[in-house]
Amino acid sequence: MRALHLTSHESPPALSELPVPQPGPGQIGVRIGACGLNFADLLMMQGRYQDTPPLPFTLGMEIAGTVETLGEGVTGLAPGDRVAVYGGRDGLAEYGVFDATRAVRMPESMSLEDAAAFQIAYGTSHLALDHRARLQPGETLLVLGAAGGVGLTAVEIGKLMGARVIACARGAEKLEVARAAGADHLIDARSQDIREAVLALGGADVVYDAVGGDQFTAAFRSARPEARILTIGFASGEVPQIKANHLLVKNLTVMGLYWGGYLSFRPEALTGSLATLFGWYAEGRIKPHISHVLPLDRAMEGMELLRSRASTGKVVIRIPG
């Protein structure tokens, strides 16, 4: 089978021919149809992600496909079932083996591309806003990186939860994507002072930050007393440093959210969130925004779209049978 395989953190991954893996006990073998790309894939290539597997490994964190084989002891799934899987790796390949507990049946109406773009982006935002920040109807939510893979879902989910949403992104084209997702107010990070613009709108109760760097600092300074600030990621490449005395003065709370981490210590929070989200999809209330669908042999072009922030929403790699 073909797979985008990484053998060194000093050189790019290569499309390689590898043996088709066979499932062990508790695992399923999946014919992969689509794989969603994530900023974490870029960090894994550099060995900088918190869950980077040991070399060598195949990239690709979330997939959608069809169950082909079952390992010993697997129940509740059958060959032919269409599933979405967050595997954390091994997704940019024609076949993959994953723990059966990580597989979720897709709604009948859901395409493989939508399913591959769904779990991490929507799961991160819903768990962050609902479970962690306890976003309430009528509160003001500021989303940084609002046209990105997770940021756009934060706009959409924040609006569904009844918040007033301020979307911050770079350039008119990306802001238009955020507006279409439900944003009430738009801030252009290229040309506007984020702090002044947010304060002019009354400040933020919840900040959703997938960017870091100077944008975090501006958002921090525009937060209302008792605001909750969610650190989701650092697309800017700069991890902000927080002065504890500033938290004290405004009674602020800064909280982290690593979606995949819930699999190891509180999986029911993650699975319950996904059940809600798949229900919303089936009802037509949410739908992934996918700006690019590329074949497996162009997967590195997709990675570059993420790195350069040239995409909006998700980039998906289609893996035809």
Side-chain angles (χ1 to χ4, degrees), residues 8 63 89 168 199 214 237 247 251 286 297:
S8 169
I63 65 98
R89 53 174 289 181
C168 180
L199 288 175
D214 291 341
L247 299 176
N251 294 289
I286 56 175
D297 58 7

Side-chain angles (χ1 to χ4, degrees), residues 57-218:
F57 67 92
T58 295
L59 290 158
M61 301 179 71
E62 58 181 334
I63 65 98
T66 304
V67 176
E68 288 214 336
T69 52
L70 303 178
E72 182 182 350
V74 174
T75 60
L77 291 170
D81 285 348
R82 297 168 74 246
V83 293
V85 183
Y86 169 73
R89 53 174 289 181
D90 294 335
L92 286 167
E94 293 174 327
Y95 295 88
V97 163
F98 307 98
D99 289 345
T101 55
R102 295 195 175 199
V104 181
R105 280 197 185 88
M106 299 157 44
E108 288 297 323
S109 60
M110 184 175 255
S111 69
L112 291 172
E113 290 87 354
D114 278 1
F118 194 83
Q119 291 190 91
I120 293 177
Y122 278 108
T124 294
S125 292
H126 185 256
L127 208 61
L129 296 175
D130 183 63
H131 177 70
R132 292 290 279 145
R134 307 290 183 187
L135 179 67
Q136 300 299 307
E139 289 191 313
T140 296
L141 167 66
L142 170 63
V143 180
L144 303 180
V150 293
L152 196 60
T153 62
V155 171
E156 198 173 358
I157 290 172
K159 194 65 179 173
L160 279 174
M161 292 177 69
R164 181 180 69 141
V165 180
I166 304 172
C168 180
R170 296 171 63 85
E173 182 179 351
K174 291 188 175 184
L175 287 172
E176 177 56 28
V177 171
R179 185 205 60 76
D184 298 288
H185 303 280
L186 307 175
I187 297 174
D188 191 335
R190 285 180 176 171
S191 59
Q192 293 179 262
D193 184 303
I194 295 172
R195 174 177 175 269
E196 289 185 1
V198 175
L199 288 175
L201 293 168
D205 298 299
V206 175
V207 175
Y208 183 101
D209 177 25
V211 179
D214 291 341
Q215 290 195 33
F216 174 92
T217 302

